Amino acid sequence: MLDELLGRAELKARIEELEEEKRHLERRAAAEEERRSEAARERQEAEAEVNRLEDRIEGLEERVERLAETDDVDVAFRGTEQLRGDRRDEVLSRLSSFETGPEGALTAMVHEDVPDAVAEALGDRSALVRRAAPCLVCVDDAGLVAAALDPPTPPAAFAEWGSGFRLDRSWFAPAGPTWVALVRSDLFALGVYDGESVALVDEVESDVMGSHSKGGFSQARFERRRDQQVDEHLDRAREAIEAHVGSGADRDLIVLGEGTVLGRFTDLADRTATVDATGEPAAALESAVREFWTVRLSLL
């Protein structure tokens, strides 16, 4: 009764209305924040899918271009094989032992354009060289040998005739102990490869955030935190390389791993390459080395 007389009842009712409106607005704000987080996650997934499709389109366009360059000639490889270890050495030995008359054996390192000498020697089958490039082509003037190999550490482009094929084993396997590093955004392994086995020298594993989920960090904070963790991990990897390998001209260093992080090591490495190696550091490094030094043989 007194509240009504003093007008406080109306004020209290108004306060309750405002409190309820405040709670409603807070719920709307929370829902909007969740939608923004979900939208950011979906945008990330969409961008990743767009990148995947762009890579696929680029690959298909290159394939169409190569097929167009064949002048509609239907040619196919006589066979292909992945060579490693003893099998690789056996094939290289056979090719190295091939002897013919002067100017009877053509060797060519093809990176992009097919040399005239290769096109003349293979005719329509030179289209296969475009598909296999970059590759080292070995073919003789009698057509007894016609093969392409993809050297892990290829030389500069050349094409020359001789009495035998020009093959340098260092293009296909290390000439001596070689430093090899595997770098991922959360893992680093460093070892020495002698052509047969890998000796692990150092390893670094870091706890890097995975994909973002609802709740906790906002999307932007999550990405900043993850990028910081990756940067710290890569800095530790560089420090390990510099500590063990150094920067002298008398050492060889090959850095393998994720394409997104290899750019951080091009100034240290003699060569970099993308590989798909997962698992524990020692096993992952061995897998990366095996993948990198596997040689694809294509019979033309």
Side-chain angles (χ1 to χ4, degrees), residues 214-283:
K214 297 180 182 178
F217 288 101
S218 67
Q219 184 69 28
R221 285 185 63 200
F222 167 82
E223 291 177 354
R224 286 195 300 271
R225 179 57 180 154
R226 187 182 189 282
D227 289 345
Q228 181 182 354
Q229 290 176 338
V230 172
D231 286 341
E232 292 172 353
H233 169 75
L234 297 180
D235 287 343
R236 293 172 64 194
R238 283 186 63 93
E239 291 172 0
I241 290 177
E242 291 170 348
H244 291 288
V245 182
S247 58
D250 58 343
R251 61 96 169 115
D252 292 324
L253 171 64
I254 296 176
V255 179
L256 312 172
E258 295 178 2
T260 55
V261 301
L262 288 179
R264 295 279 294 269
F265 299 89
T266 53
D267 60 319
L268 295 177
D270 296 286
R271 182 172 175 79
T272 63
T274 302
V275 297
D276 183 18
T278 59
E280 296 299 317

Side-chain angles (χ1 to χ4, degrees), residues 88-150:
R88 174 200 60 204
D89 294 342
E90 178 187 357
V91 171
L92 292 178
S93 177
R94 290 185 188 181
L95 289 172
S96 297
S97 65
F98 184 84
E99 295 182 2
T100 182
E103 308 298 313
L106 172 64
T107 313
M109 183 63 222
V110 180
H111 288 278
E112 294 181 0
D113 298 331
V114 177
D116 292 341
V118 174
E120 292 171 3
L122 291 173
D124 293 340
R125 288 182 296 157
S126 62
L128 298 173
V129 176
R130 296 189 186 94
R131 298 180 199 174
C135 62
L136 184 75
V137 176
C138 297
V139 59
D140 73 304
D141 58 356
L144 299 177
V145 178
L149 302 160
D150 67 328

Side-chain angles (χ1 to χ4, degrees), residues 49-115:
E49 180 67 10
V50 168
N51 291 336
R52 186 186 68 81
L53 291 175
E54 287 178 346
D55 290 342
R56 185 176 181 186
I57 289 171
E58 183 179 350
L60 291 174
E61 287 176 343
E62 291 178 356
R63 183 177 179 185
V64 169
E65 183 179 347
R66 289 176 178 176
L67 289 174
E69 292 173 349
T70 65
D71 297 327
D72 297 325
V73 176
D74 186 15
V75 290
F77 294 112
R78 292 183 292 118
T80 59
E81 183 180 350
Q82 301 296 322
L83 308 177
R84 60 176 64 91
D86 292 341
R87 177 59 175 166
R88 174 200 60 204
D89 294 342
E90 178 187 357
V91 171
L92 292 178
S93 177
R94 290 185 188 181
L95 289 172
S96 297
S97 65
F98 184 84
E99 295 182 2
T100 182
E103 308 298 313
L106 172 64
T107 313
M109 183 63 222
V110 180
H111 288 278
E112 294 181 0
D113 298 331
V114 177

